[in-house]
Amino acid sequence: MLLVLGAFAVVPLLLPWIVSRIGARAFYLAAILPIAGFVHAAMLTPVVLAGDIPFETYAWIPSLHIDLSMRMDTLSWLMTLVVTGVGALVLIYCRWYFRGKRENLGQFAAVLLAFAGAMYGLVLTDDLVVLVMFWEITSVLSYLLIGYYNKRAASRRAALQALLVTTLGGLVMLIGVVLLVVEAGTSSISRILAEAPTGAVVDAALIMILVGALSKSAIFPFHFWLPGAMAAPTPVSAYLHAAAMVKAGIYLIARFAPVFAIAPPWRPIVVALGVFTMLLGGFQALRETDLKRVLAFGTVSQLGMLTVVLGYGTRDAALAGLALLLSHALFKSALFLVVGVIDRQLSTRDLTELSGVGRQAPVMATFSIVAVASMVGVIPTIGFVAKEGALAALLDEAMGGAVWGIVAVAGISLGSVLTAGYGIRFLWGAFATKRDAAGDRLPDTEWPDPPMGFLVAPLVLSGLTLVAGFAAPWLDKVFTPYADTAPLSTPGVPVPEHGAHLALWHGLEPALWISLASIVLGAVAFWLTRGWRPAKRLLPFTAADAYNGTLRVIARMSVVTTGLTQRGSLPVYVGTIFVVFVAAEATALLASDEWRAQLDAFQTPMQLFVAPLMIAAGLIAIRARKRYTGVVLVSVTGLGMVLLFATSGAPDLALTQILVETVTLVAFALVLRRIPSRMGEHNASVWPVARAVLGAAVGITMALVAIVATSARVEKPISDRFPQLAYELGHGKNVVNVALVDLRGWDTMGELSVLILAATGVASLVFVTHRADTLSRAISSLPTDAIRTRRPLVETDEGVKPRGTGGGPMAWLVGGQRVRPENRSIMLEVIVRILFHTIIIVSLYLLFAGHNLPGGGFAGGLVAGMALVMRYIAGGRYELGAAAPTDAGRLLGTGMTIAVACAVVPVFFGDQPLTSYFWDADLPVLGHVEFVTSTLFDIGVYLVVIGLVLDVLRSLGAEVDRQAHEAREQAGVSVP
């Protein structure tokens, strides 16, 4: 099982490439994996029947006792067959549904297969926390699938609506799961059910878990997202909204009901909302004219019925509930796929536009009738077996005086009437010959016969409803182990004399008459509402209106909040941060019982020299009237730290600090180009006394925090062992570098994420309409020989091109001649041309030497970034394109991918994330060679840092240059 789950994680990554090669036929290959999962589950059937439950586990997060554990009992076995079996058929169906289409098809195939894998893990996992993870994965993947037609506003809205509703329910469920896990002392589902904890905390946890389950399964008041999700392609509707995703909530209810149904809050929530949802969905299905929406609201209704039966929590109801779950997966997915065939062939799903299709497509009409018969509950389908069993089980409860049994029987009986009504309406709308208002027969809709392969999936699913009906005795034997985990009856209700069993015929019992009456009354309801065109809404507002109103209120509140807090004043923002800092830290300092301080006048003589300079520079910066002067003075404090680090035995920190200060100074300089050099009166400081007081308060508070914090330690710091750990675990002598990429690799991973976010944020502020740097690409797209020979550039109607071989001197920098003459320096171009490659070599040396000597990926990346800064300063934006002919996002993404891979790969070998491996060997010529895999992590850091610097140069440099160039052209100023 774990192997199959791993395959579901890997194979979808290959599908986009496969689809790009062979098109829609790739769905055949994609179907192989769910078929393998189906066959594996089918082969385990004898083991499951024997009660020897297959179980596999892998200690994933041992410190939290969270395991990737897979357990296949009866319920999981059935859900696995449904998820993989229906999934395989839907993927085969996709081959024909998407024939001739390629746009975004690779992504769709990958996401659909990944969704099948997430559902596979969800129904098999025995860890409740892992179940929540799979739960949220299905929400995200369903969002991508529903929004497949991303150019349509309706699809985007429907996808977002489904994501928000199910994710909100999932977050509430997460809180309930945490409470239940803490109360039970374990996250194992089987152990929680075996111990069955009780109490007020457990009741609260169950309510929260039910919120998640009901939102996922589209139960009122969360039902509105499912009909909206019909904007998705029909295969998505057939799989996610009939057989898989909406069954996740039903599965969770079925998993907990046998044990927790007797809890006080359980049945009032499950039965009341389930019955109401069944009636609401059935009534709305009778009002729809779109075949897909008829099925959508029918699905909402059927999910309500499943919630009532499987959530009731008695043995007989549980037995019938599994049969009902199987039947619904078969008939509803078959009917959705039939609608897909009709829509694909006729480009319409409106039942008022269809006439005479049944006579032209008798095979499709036949198996559609079989599927509807199973939905309505007609013998000999599995739907009849399930509905009769459910009615019989709930009738026993009602006759025994159970209040919720009475509500359930009444609700399901009335809901079955509506089910029969909209089931007949579907068949009439899709296949019948219609007549106009005058009674004349409408002309038949022209029906082009679909390929036979298009009909295989719905034909198989429909046929299985008959096969399962005749196999009812065998299903009874298979489902009984699950049913036996539930109590025989509700406490206080007499136990039925004869235990229920699944069969095609139980005799002329009350449940049979109720079922027959519902079918007859459903036919009458259809006849009375066949030409009904009711108003769009019966009530002043709907659940969808409440959802949209909530979003509008949130949007307006966010606007008001943003207007109050985001005033556009940097001093206000910084001042707010400083006030909070002083208030919080001063409170903590004053609340301390004891202060200890161990102060030295200085540790090295250099501090006596550097500290006054840093203080003086800070004071002078306050009085500076030119922006650049202020920036340089502020940088003095950073350069002073370089001297302090260098004389305190921290060469790595000194090297990194001077590089950071240099890059920061360059970034400031790039920004200041577009700002007036002098600070005018409108930029003068307001409330100077208040600012001075706040600044002094921050300085004093920070000093006190540093003094108290450094003197408050009572235990030996773990950093004392870092030199030994760096050598023994990281196989390196540079403690700082080994700590960054090995001992504290997770911290570095977080810092890389922050760098990527910072680069993306800066670029987003500058690149207004698009993210691509088209000007730099103009030079990077030139032939390599043009760059190598440094031929000058000329402006042509087709863009910027290198000058021909004849005439003209060679340029030191290929983009240099595009710089304005007054800003150009030939000496700088010559120096940059000579030093650039040497600096890149130095950066690579720092990268690979950093494990044992000063350096590392961060320092090496900054050095390489400085080389790019030199190329840009000397030759402008075109030269930057020649120096780095790639997108900064690719460097950022590649670096982060390498770092994440270094964290994830060890997990597959049974080790902790970010575990390093060490190899050494004696090689000819090279001698003794050592290699640590953390070097790969350092390479990821190196690429991310280069990507950050390049992104800053492309946005604050090249893009700002381009905007200034356009502004001068619009102003009529001559530009080179």
Side-chain angles (χ1 to χ4, degrees):
M1 292 182 284
L2 287 173
L3 182 61
V4 175
L5 182 64
F8 271 116
V10 174
V11 174
L13 302 177
L14 305 176
L15 272 182
W17 178 80
I18 298 175
V19 170
S20 67
R21 295 288 179 176
I22 61 176
R25 288 174 296 174
F27 284 105
Y28 286 148
L29 298 178
I32 294 175
L33 184 52
I35 290 173
F38 181 88
V39 172
H40 177 256
M43 292 174 62
L44 292 176
T45 302
V47 180
V48 176
L49 285 176
D52 186 11
I53 299 175
F55 183 81
E56 298 175 8
T57 186
Y58 172 78
W60 184 30
I61 310 178
S63 59
L64 297 178
H65 305 289
I66 297 176
D67 302 329
L68 282 176
S69 53
M70 311 288 280
R71 185 174 182 271
M72 186 181 287
D73 60 2
T74 301
L75 178 60
S76 295
W77 171 83
L78 174 61
M79 287 298 300
T80 300
L81 291 179
V82 169
V83 167
T84 56
V86 177
L89 289 172
V90 169
L91 285 168
I92 294 172
Y93 176 90
C94 286
R95 182 265 177 268
W96 300 99
Y97 186 85
F98 292 104
R99 65 188 186 277
K101 298 181 179 180
R102 281 185 178 269
E103 184 178 2
N104 296 331
L105 195 57
Q107 175 187 332
F108 175 85
V111 174
L112 184 59
L113 185 61
F115 178 87
M119 281 300 304
Y120 180 85
L122 189 151
V123 301
L124 282 174
T125 182
D126 187 51
D127 193 288
L128 195 54
V129 176
V130 176
L131 183 144
V132 173
M133 295 180 184
F134 283 121
W135 190 280
E136 296 304 327
I137 290 173
T138 60
S139 294
V140 174
L141 296 178
S142 68
Y143 164 78
L144 297 175
L145 291 170
I146 295 171
Y148 170 71
Y149 300 116
N150 52 62
K151 295 181 180 179
R152 303 177 185 175
S155 293
R156 297 195 299 271
R157 285 196 302 268
L160 182 59
Q161 185 182 75
L163 178 67
L164 290 178
V165 173
T166 57
T167 302
L168 177 62
L171 291 175
V172 175
M173 186 180 79
L174 175 61
I175 300 173
V177 165
V178 172
L179 291 176
L180 186 59
V181 168
V182 171
E183 192 71 12
T186 178
S187 60
S188 170
I189 298 175
S190 56
R191 287 181 57 189
I192 292 174
L193 296 178
E195 297 173 6
T198 58
V201 174
V202 174
D203 291 344
L206 291 176
I207 293 174
M208 295 179 187
I209 290 173
L210 282 176
V211 170
L214 298 177
S215 65
K216 198 78 160 181
S217 292
I219 303 300
F220 180 88
F222 309 105
H223 64 287
F224 57 91
W225 72 262
L226 181 58
M230 293 303 112
T234 299
V236 173
S237 302
Y239 189 42
L240 274 67
H241 308 136
M245 178 181 171
V246 293
K247 290 295 196 307
I250 301 299
Y251 164 77
L252 194 60
I253 291 173
R255 177 61 71 192
F256 282 85
V259 173
F260 292 109
I262 59 175
W266 186 275
R267 280 183 183 158
I269 295 175
V270 169
V271 176
L273 293 181
V275 166
F276 185 79
T277 302
M278 186 178 184
L279 299 179
L280 178 65
F283 177 77
Q284 186 63 33
L286 285 172
R287 305 172 68 234
E288 295 294 333
T289 58
D290 186 314
L291 291 175
K292 201 171 179 182
R293 288 182 63 84
V294 171
L295 293 181
F297 282 103
T299 300
V300 170
S301 179
Q302 291 290 309
L303 290 171
M305 182 178 182
L306 280 166
T307 300
V308 172
V309 178
L310 278 169
Y312 195 82
T314 60
R315 178 199 177 277
D316 295 350
L319 183 64
L322 284 194
L324 192 64
L325 187 151
L326 174 63
S327 65
H328 180 265
L330 294 175
F331 67 68
K332 191 53 67 74
S333 55
L335 292 175
F336 269 115
L337 295 182
V338 167
V339 172
V341 175
I342 294 174
D343 190 17
R344 190 74 164 79
Q345 297 301 107
L346 301 177
S347 299
T348 182
R349 303 189 303 256
D350 192 333
L351 57 83
T352 62
E353 299 176 2
L354 301 174
S355 181
V357 174
R359 294 189 297 108
Q360 301 177 71
V363 175
M364 188 172 69
T366 300
F367 59 71
S368 298
I369 292 171
V370 172
V372 170
S374 183
M375 179 173 69
V376 172
V378 177
I379 197 170
T381 63
I382 184 62
F384 167 79
V385 175
K387 190 171 79 168
E388 188 183 32
L391 288 171
L394 296 175
L395 271 173
D396 288 338
E397 286 286 305
M399 297 298 292
V403 175
W404 292 111
I406 297 172
V407 173
V409 168
I412 289 180
S413 300
L414 185 56
S416 296
V417 173
L418 298 175
T419 301
Y422 68 71
I424 299 172
R425 179 179 179 83
F426 174 84
L427 292 175
W428 170 79
F431 302 108
T433 299
K434 312 293 194 310
R435 296 183 180 275
D436 59 19
D440 298 327
R441 198 176 90 171
L442 296 175
D444 291 348
T445 304
E446 185 176 350
W447 175 256
D449 289 330
M452 285 302 299
F454 206 3
L455 302 177
V456 169
L459 177 62
V460 170
L461 291 167
S462 178
L464 286 175
T465 62
L466 285 174
V467 174
F470 288 107
W474 182 80
L475 291 176
D476 178 77
K477 180 181 178 182
V478 176
F479 294 163
T480 295
Y482 166 75
D484 288 342
T485 62
L488 295 176
S489 64
T490 301
V493 175
V495 177
E497 296 181 3
H498 304 287
H501 61 278
L502 301 177
L504 271 178
W505 183 251
H506 287 96
L508 301 176
E509 59 180 10
L512 175 63
W513 296 114
I514 294 176
S515 182
L516 292 175
S518 67
I519 295 174
V520 173
L521 293 176
V524 173
F526 158 72
W527 185 262
L528 294 176
T529 60
R530 181 179 55 172
W532 187 29
R533 296 293 184 272
K536 288 294 182 181
R537 60 176 64 196
L538 300 178
L539 298 175
F541 67 92
T542 64
D545 294 330
Y547 164 82
N548 292 325
T550 302
L551 290 186
R552 285 194 293 269
V553 169
I554 293 174
R556 289 173 182 172
M557 289 178 60
S558 67
V559 171
V560 173
T561 303
T562 302
L564 291 175
T565 59
Q566 303 296 314
R567 309 297 296 179
S569 172
L570 184 59
V572 171
Y573 301 154
V574 177
T576 302
I577 295 172
F578 283 166
V579 169
V580 173
F581 169 75
V582 171
E585 297 302 326
T587 302
L589 289 171
L590 294 175
S592 177
D593 296 332
E594 179 183 1
W595 285 15
R596 291 194 303 269
Q598 182 178 352
L599 301 177
D600 297 328
F602 60 92
Q603 283 78 33
T604 64
M606 181 62 71
Q607 294 173 349
L608 296 175
F609 170 72
V610 173
L613 291 179
M614 295 170 64
I615 295 172
L619 294 174
I620 297 173
I622 298 175
R623 306 297 299 171
R625 288 293 173 262
K626 287 188 176 182
R627 289 186 171 86
Y628 190 75
T629 303
V631 170
V632 173
L633 289 170
V634 170
S635 296
V636 172
T637 59
L639 296 175
M641 292 300 299
V642 172
L643 295 175
L644 295 179
F645 287 144
T647 56
S648 299
D652 268 77
L653 296 180
L655 176 62
T656 303
Q657 180 70 24
I658 192 171
L659 291 171
V660 168
E661 283 297 329
T662 306
V663 172
T664 304
L665 187 61
V666 170
F668 270 116
L670 293 176
V671 173
L672 293 179
R673 292 181 304 164
R674 300 297 297 271
I675 301 177
S677 61
R678 287 188 172 273
M679 299 180 187
E681 287 300 323
H682 65 284
N683 302 119
S685 298
V686 296
W687 299 344
V689 176
R691 291 189 181 201
V693 171
L694 180 58
V698 172
I700 294 171
T701 303
M702 192 65 242
L704 291 175
V705 168
I707 293 171
V708 173
T710 54
S711 304
R713 186 182 299 277
V714 294
E715 299 290 342
K716 290 184 177 180
I718 191 175
S719 57
D720 289 346
R721 295 192 57 206
F722 269 24
Q724 179 184 358
L725 293 173
Y727 189 74
E728 293 179 355
L729 298 181
H731 300 279
K733 299 176 182 178
N734 185 344
V735 179
V736 175
N737 182 260
V738 175
L740 289 175
V741 301
D742 194 322
L743 303 180
R744 301 190 62 178
W746 283 118
D747 293 349
T748 306
M749 188 83 72
E751 291 164 3
L752 292 181
S753 302
V754 172
L755 288 178
I756 292 175
L757 290 175
T760 304
V762 170
S764 300
L765 291 173
V766 178
F767 289 92
V768 180
T769 58
H770 58 81
R771 184 67 177 77
D773 181 21
T774 53
L775 282 177
S776 293
R777 286 186 179 181
I779 185 66
S780 64
S781 63
L782 293 176
T784 54
D785 63 326
I787 299 176
R788 184 174 61 250
T789 57
R790 306 189 300 280
R791 281 182 281 161
L793 298 177
V794 293
E795 194 85 34
T796 68
D797 294 337
E798 300 177 359
V800 179
K801 289 189 175 183
R803 180 181 294 168
T805 55
M810 292 190 301
W812 278 99
L813 296 181
V814 69
Q817 68 275 18
R818 300 298 302 165
V819 179
R820 300 179 71 183
E822 62 269 24
N823 296 333
R824 191 176 180 188
S825 170
I826 298 300
M827 182 175 292
L828 182 60
E829 292 184 23
V830 173
I831 293 173
V832 168
R833 179 70 185 183
I834 294 173
L835 293 182
F836 176 76
H837 299 89
T838 303
I839 296 174
I840 294 297
I841 296 298
V842 171
S843 75
L844 293 174
Y845 168 78
L846 291 174
L847 166 64
F848 291 106
H851 209 62
N852 293 290
L853 299 171
F858 197 84
L862 287 174
V863 170
M866 289 306 303
L868 296 176
V869 170
M870 292 170 57
R871 290 285 288 265
Y872 168 71
I873 292 175
R877 62 191 189 275
Y878 289 103
E879 186 61 34
L880 180 63
T886 185
D887 188 75
R890 293 180 182 176
L891 290 175
L892 293 169
T894 302
M896 195 65 188
T897 301
I898 294 173
V900 171
C902 291
V904 173
V905 169
V907 175
F908 294 101
F909 295 94
D911 293 320
Q912 297 294 323
L914 282 173
T915 299
S916 296
Y917 302 97
F918 174 76
W919 290 281
D920 62 337
D922 293 316
L923 301 178
V925 180
L926 296 178
H928 187 72
V929 176
E930 298 180 353
F931 179 76
V932 186
T933 55
S934 58
T935 303
L936 299 176
F937 188 91
D938 222 10
I939 293 174
V941 175
Y942 179 80
L943 294 176
V944 168
V945 173
I946 295 177
L948 170 67
V949 176
L950 181 59
D951 222 1
V952 170
L953 291 175
R954 289 271 171 87
S955 53
L956 299 180
E959 177 63 12
V960 171
D961 289 343
R962 186 193 65 81
Q963 294 174 6
H965 181 89
E966 287 186 352
R968 289 194 298 269
E969 282 187 334
Q970 293 174 0
V973 178
S974 176
V975 293

